[in-house]
Amino acid sequence: MSEAEARMEMVRFDAAVVAAEGELLAIQDRVRRTLGEDEAEVFEVQILLMRDVELRDAVRALCFDKRMNAQAAVDEEIKQLSVLFASLDDAYFRERASDLHDVGRRLLDQLAQGGQPISPELPDGCVVVTSDLLASVVAQLEGRSVRALIVEKGGLTTHATILARSLGIPMLVHVPNACEQIRNGDLVIVDALAGRIFLNPEAEVVDKYAQLQVDLQVHRSALKDLVDLPAITLDDVAIKLSANVGQTADAVAAASVTAEGVGLYRTEFVFMVQDHFPSEDEQYNFYRSTAEHLPPGETVIRVLDVGSDKPLNYFPLPREGNPALGCRGMRLLFANPTILHSQLRAILRLSASHPVAILLPMIDGLDERRAAKAAIKQVKADLATAGQSFNPRIRIGTMIETPSAAILVRQLADEVDFFSVGSNDLVQFLLAADRISEEMVSTYDPLHPAVIQVLARLVRTAARKGKPISLCGEIGSDPVYTKLLIGLGFRSLSVSPGRLLDIKHAIRSTRWCDAEDLARRVLQSSSTSDIRALVLDDWHRRSPVPSPPVEPRTSARHS
Ligand code: PEP
Ligand code: MG
């Protein structure tokens, strides 16, 4: 077996782990619903064993040093570990030997079958090429071994992209004519970091990418050293680093990188994977099971923000010419009070046992904020009458993602417990540039001076009013922006769990006083390209970061 083939064996091993983990998560979910939380916990251990870096390293060594194929390497390593576990004095570890055995069998099944195809149209390890992609479709890919997504339309902050990022599926958007040029059976390499596609590449390119993939894995393993270290700058300024989650896999990922709680729980993904509106009890169970996977800390649950690029198949919305400016978020909930009330009841019931807060999306000003508060008050009264317990002092926050809310931040501060800046929408509305339009990819620019000035003002005002403010939009998950955001005054970021360690690394490589200096220079500039030059120049001059940067605006891509 050549070295390149050994690399391909590792690629197969990684795909088998992803597919097997998906199977386990699905089983865990079923067990949780039918048998309960304790029984479901067993699968947690198996997922951890399967994801263990040491298992991967051992399999890798066998593939490379002994030239074994992935099946033989897994078989060998699991046998050795089982013997070791079984011989230990500690009863807990002895019992884990049977979990290991199970993990081994599952991985071998996956490797033998090349993974269970999710459907005839999506074979294991495939790259999906499509003209458009909805978030609800991406939500169904959880646990399936789709290697990459190539989409003709779309932008970097569409919900399909956000979800793919959180599932760790590389995705390239804005690839014109992809469906015409790429055919079934073609060999495709998707380099989502560089924004490149290789169609039926030469053997040297395949070799190069097999090596790059291994390097990326090494980089990710190196970042793991940061898991238990605090998110502090070089001069000891602490940044709260919490996670954005939307599904159980995110919750597990957030816990594995010890996020400080959840700054944004997008509940719409819970609704998207259903074929009906989940009942209050179903929602309560979903939220509770997600909360139970999370690390200690507060979970900020955002009420349903469907509409625009997050439709629900079972809830057709009126056709609108401009859905991003239409009936979505709180507006849609106010128009459908039964949906709002059942969700608030589920969240409030959870607040009796878990530290949760409520976040209101797409608020446009004080009237909507007050109407939402009145709805929460009503639901609290109903629950109290029914003898249901809840936290009467549950914190209620407001997203700042409309220009009107940004303008009214001072007045809103008197009525909210905290703010969360939704830069994805805020940028689109400030710049009148559709976040999901491929035509707007270069116009939709978070480094526009108007955006930067608004962000600076939001932080200043919230600080003056003593109200906590965090940022949960995608710029928070891109290390290129980290120093600028710190310099602008953000002390709390909520980021994609898969990027959390990259962001922690960026924080730990930043000196707060330098960040302030960068923000000062950026604020003095009124040109987007000058600001980009400042930010990128600063990024490239920093000490080497073991992470391939996702630079803003160079192309439509993400990893
Ligand atoms: C945002 O707009 O930045 C945000 C976090 O909300 P979403 O991306 O879900 O619209
Ligand atoms: Mg938003």
Side-chain angles (χ1 to χ4, degrees), residues 9-19 51 56 213 217:
E9 286 308 296
M10 286 312 291
V11 171
R12 280 195 336 111
F13 171 79
D14 288 339
V17 170
V18 171
R51 282 275 173 209
R56 188 180 189 282
Q213 195 158 31
Q217 195 64 41

Side-chain angles (χ1 to χ4, degrees), residues 18 42 51 73 165 172 185 189 205 221 232 274 285 297 399 412 444 457 472 525 528 535 546 553:
V18 171
V42 172
R51 282 275 173 209
R165 184 175 297 135
L172 276 180
I189 293 179
V205 179
S221 303
I232 49 171
Q274 304 291 315
N285 287 330
M399 296 277 296
L412 279 167
Y444 176 100
R457 179 172 170 269
C472 62
S525 174
T528 310
V535 171
R553 311 264 49 89

Side-chain angles (χ1 to χ4, degrees), residues 159 266 302 305 310 328 361-362 399 401 422-426 429 435:
H159 287 92
R266 287 185 169 97
R302 186 174 73 181
D305 180 24
K310 289 180 284 188
R328 56 172 293 199
M362 296 297 296
M399 296 277 296
E401 50 187 349
S423 54
N424 303 336
D425 277 314
L426 188 58
F429 296 131
R435 68 190 263 190

